[in-house]
Amino acid sequence: MVSQNHTVHDKCSDGNTESDGSESALETARRQLRHAATHIDIDPSIVERLKYPKKVHEVTVPIKRDDGTVDVFTGYRAQHDSVRGPFKGGLRYHPEVTRDECVGLSMWMTWKCAVMDLPFGGAKGGVAVNPKELSIDEKERLTRRFAQELRESIGPNQDIPAPDMGTDPQTMAWLMDAYSMQEGETTPGVVTGKPPVVGGSKGREEAPGRSVAIITQLVCEYYDRRLEETTVAVQGYGSVGANAARLLDDWGATVVAISDVNGAMYDPEGIETASVPSHDEEPEAVTKYANNVISNDELLTLDVDVLIPAALGNVITKENVEAIAADFVVEGANGPTTSAADSVLAERDIAVIPDILANAGGVTVSYFEWLQDINRRAWSLDRVNDELETEMQAAWDAVREEFEQRDVTWRDAAYIVALSRIAEAHEARGLWP
């Protein structure tokens, strides 16, 4: 069923309503839409349509716990816009998943797919549950029941979920299997981010971090900075942060700080990133390997060339923005910079490369995975990485062109590219009936 509108105050990693001037994911997405629309000639009716999702599904997800009791959770799937193709976006398991958060994040996915020129629209979903409190068997039962509740709303040509916070390739394998069992045929294209053994793509897990590293390299080239003379601080050493840090390290940059929830490892001479396990390899282990530990707050204010916030949303705020000393901010996480902080960074001429471009490697390789599933033909890792680099370069070139021609921020330029493509598609297809 479709949920009713209501106002929430969510505090998840991609948006919150704290008093420091940050805002919910939905508020942020609508503000960014309005702002981008002021820069281009666009039919106001299209902007009005894009303020709202096409559908929001709210479902009840009961599961039997290992002790025989039954718990009931609430799940959501927000489908924002499909004018350019099927809906695409992650599924998260988190105790503070809400309807409005899913709507806001689905809008971000619409912009992200458009800036990458992928034939998808935006979606996002999840279940309000703490996955750390579920056993493996309980998580599997939850996933299979959620898949059943959403079965009429997802599909390889309709809506294609992917992993997000609290979910992983195994979750996607369960979801794919549950959907396939009900359809009566194996349908790998219903989800992306699966293990390669059941139709997943090589390089999918590393892709968001790889795209962050590629964009960082392109930023340095644009501003005539040699990567070998560039210092980098990375907040968050999970899938995105660790892969970005290791690639930049391999390519010659000096990574001076990396962190997890417990704090940051700091070495001004450079960290051998390959010797420090990522969160996936050994959870919360960064500080165990550090000789010099600083706080996550201190990491954000280090005097480095490039700062990569790759952990949580809303970490650069009006409270700490004046202390940001990096020349460039490349957003690895979704929404790490609040709107108030963003304005100050622009005034200080600190270039901020937005998340919808920098971390778009995930959805781009998800597109590759979808193509592989449809054609039943797997790609090599080299092909995946080569194709990703080509797509990131093309997206960078499009955003750079708007940045130079319009004298706007990098974030504005990315949203202008995205909104222009979405608006053109809406104009071509029209409104039926």
Side-chain angles (χ1 to χ4, degrees), residues 216-217 220-221 224-232 248-255 269 305:
T216 300
Q217 185 179 43
C220 290
E221 288 177 5
D224 295 322
R225 303 286 186 97
R226 294 185 69 244
L227 200 59
E228 294 80 4
E229 298 172 357
T230 299
T231 55
V232 182
L248 290 169
D249 189 7
D250 289 344
W251 296 345
T254 302
V255 179
E269 299 301 314
D305 298 309

Side-chain angles (χ1 to χ4, degrees), residues 92-143:
R92 58 178 48 185
Y93 292 169
H94 190 281
E96 295 185 50
V97 166
T98 66
R99 176 195 184 276
D100 280 8
E101 180 203 39
C102 290
V103 172
L105 297 178
S106 73
M107 293 174 73
W108 275 350
M109 282 302 301
T110 298
W111 318 144
K112 186 177 292 188
C113 291
V115 82
M116 293 305 302
D117 208 14
L118 304 177
F120 290 139
K124 207 74 169 187
V127 178
V129 61
N130 185 350
K132 295 179 181 179
E133 296 177 355
L134 298 176
S135 69
I136 296 296
D137 289 343
E138 289 170 341
K139 189 173 181 180
E140 179 177 358
R141 290 195 288 273
L142 178 78
T143 301

Side-chain angles (χ1 to χ4, degrees), residues 7 11 49 59 88 154 180 242 268 280 326 379:
T7 301
K11 299 179 181 178
R49 287 169 65 185
V59 297
K88 187 79 189 75
I154 61 175
S180 297
D280 292 338
W379 296 3

Side-chain angles (χ1 to χ4, degrees), residues 30 33 37 42-53 80:
R30 284 178 172 164
L33 168 64
I42 182 174
D43 186 339
S45 67
I46 293 175
V47 177
E48 188 66 22
R49 287 169 65 185
L50 290 172
K51 289 180 183 177
Y52 305 97
H80 176 241

Side-chain angles (χ1 to χ4, degrees), residues 96-341:
E96 295 185 50
V97 166
T98 66
R99 176 195 184 276
D100 280 8
E101 180 203 39
C102 290
V103 172
L105 297 178
S106 73
M107 293 174 73
W108 275 350
M109 282 302 301
T110 298
W111 318 144
K112 186 177 292 188
C113 291
V115 82
M116 293 305 302
D117 208 14
L118 304 177
F120 290 139
K124 207 74 169 187
V127 178
V129 61
N130 185 350
K132 295 179 181 179
E133 296 177 355
L134 298 176
S135 69
I136 296 296
D137 289 343
E138 289 170 341
K139 189 173 181 180
E140 179 177 358
R141 290 195 288 273
L142 178 78
T143 301
R144 291 181 180 277
R145 182 57 184 253
F146 191 33
Q148 173 61 21
E149 297 297 337
L150 289 179
R151 190 167 65 88
E152 299 298 322
S153 307
I154 61 175
N157 295 309
Q158 186 175 358
D159 184 354
I160 307 138
D164 203 301
M165 292 171 57
T167 59
D168 55 24
Q170 179 61 69
T171 315
M172 295 302 106
W174 290 328
L175 199 157
M176 185 271 281
D177 183 69
Y179 180 90
S180 297
M181 293 294 287
Q182 293 296 324
E183 290 295 302
E185 62 180 16
T186 299
T187 313
V190 67
V191 296
T192 59
K194 307 176 296 296
V197 71
V198 288
S201 176
K202 296 180 176 73
R204 169 59 182 83
E205 285 193 81
E206 300 82 12
R210 178 171 286 271
S211 68
V212 168
I214 291 170
I215 292 298
T216 300
Q217 185 179 43
L218 291 170
V219 169
C220 290
E221 288 177 5
Y222 184 79
Y223 286 99
D224 295 322
R225 303 286 186 97
R226 294 185 69 244
L227 200 59
E228 294 80 4
E229 298 172 357
T230 299
T231 55
V232 182
V234 182
Q235 186 192 51
Y237 208 60
S239 178
V240 178
N243 283 296
R246 289 172 178 176
L247 278 171
L248 290 169
D249 189 7
D250 289 344
W251 296 345
T254 302
V255 179
V256 301
I258 57 177
S259 74
D260 60 23
V261 67
N262 296 316
M265 172 189 291
Y266 174 58
D267 185 347
E269 299 301 314
I271 295 168
E272 188 179 333
T273 56
S275 67
V276 184
S278 70
H279 183 78
D280 292 338
E281 295 162 346
E282 185 180 342
E284 300 180 13
V286 168
T287 55
K288 296 179 185 177
Y289 291 77
N291 292 323
N292 184 26
V293 176
I294 62 175
S295 70
N296 269 288
D297 290 340
E298 289 178 280
L299 180 149
L300 292 172
T301 61
L302 289 174
D303 186 5
V304 293
D305 298 309
V306 179
L307 171 64
I308 301 177
L312 300 173
N314 292 336
V315 296
I316 302 177
T317 70
K318 69 177 183 180
E319 304 300 329
N320 64 6
V321 66
E322 293 291 354
I324 301 297
D327 294 326
F328 313 109
V329 176
V330 180
E331 295 185 333
N334 287 329
T337 311
T338 68
S339 57

